[in-house]
Amino acid sequence: MAITLGMLCKNADSDYGLKLMAGSAGIDNLVRWVHVVEDVRQADCLRGNEFVFTTGIARNGEDWLLRFAQNLYERNTAGLAVAVSPHVSSLPQCVTDFCDKHSLPLFVLSSADRLTDITYHFCRCIMAGEETETSLAAAIINLVFEPHEEKAFRYTLEKNDFT
């Protein structure tokens, strides 16, 4: 089962203080992984569909966050979360406008102290989703090629509403 940003962030406000600020039209973007990226030059490692977190520690100039968001958008990231820290106290209007215009979900994490907890939780959710997809795909392949062995994979199919 593919994981969307909306699925990952369903309870993230109450659990971690993660609030959607802009770009809500992209909330169904698929998320392949979570990265903490502090410098726009690090963004070269992104492959697409990552949910990126930043604390702004490597900010450079007044318009750094807009350039950062633009760079992430060009790399097809799923969304951006900015942690409130000594380096970032608020989101500039030009950044929220850009994210709304381009449907790039922009979140604020209420405290950088929660960064490890939330990224760990999100990565676990992504891995669990991939494990479910793998076992379901194997069960469907078995159903097609070895229908007489249905008992061995029936539980996986039922657990995923394939009955």
Side-chain angles (χ1 to χ4, degrees), residues 1-158:
M1 168 175 122
I3 302 289
T4 66
L5 199 52
M7 293 164 69
L8 275 180
C9 298
K10 185 177 180 182
N11 297 315
D13 185 8
S14 61
D15 294 348
Y16 300 103
L18 185 73
K19 294 183 190 306
L20 180 64
M21 305 304 288
S24 61
I27 200 68
D28 290 327
N29 291 346
L30 295 179
V31 179
R32 197 175 65 139
W33 199 243
V34 175
H35 283 289
V36 177
V37 178
E38 295 297 352
D39 189 328
V40 73
R41 293 170 293 193
Q42 286 178 296
D44 289 341
C45 69
L46 300 175
R47 303 289 179 254
N49 297 101
E50 293 93 351
F51 187 17
V52 174
F53 285 79
T54 190
T55 65
I57 196 167
R59 72 186 191 281
N60 185 8
E62 289 298 312
D63 65 341
W64 75 272
L65 189 54
L66 178 59
R67 286 183 285 118
F68 193 72
Q70 290 168 336
N71 196 293
L72 295 178
Y73 173 74
E74 290 169 7
R75 285 174 167 63
N76 256 353
T77 58
L80 168 62
V82 180
V84 173
S85 69
H87 312 289
V88 180
S89 58
S90 65
L91 299 175
Q93 186 64 45
C94 62
V95 176
T96 58
D97 290 346
F98 174 83
C99 290
D100 275 334
K101 179 180 178 182
H102 296 284
S103 302
L104 176 66
L106 174 66
F107 294 83
V108 169
L109 182 61
S110 62
S111 170
D113 294 341
R114 302 304 311 263
L115 192 56
T116 300
D117 297 333
I118 195 169
T119 56
Y120 175 77
H121 175 76
F122 284 177
C123 289
R124 285 185 50 138
C125 290
I126 292 166
M127 293 300 295
E130 287 184 3
E131 288 174 12
T132 299
E133 280 183 14
T134 300
S135 65
L136 185 56
I140 291 171
I141 289 169
N142 284 333
L143 180 64
V144 170
F145 293 107
E146 298 184 42
H148 58 280
E149 297 290 332
E150 177 187 350
K151 206 177 226 183
F153 48 84
R154 184 165 191 68
Y155 172 76
T156 301
L157 294 171
E158 288 175 350

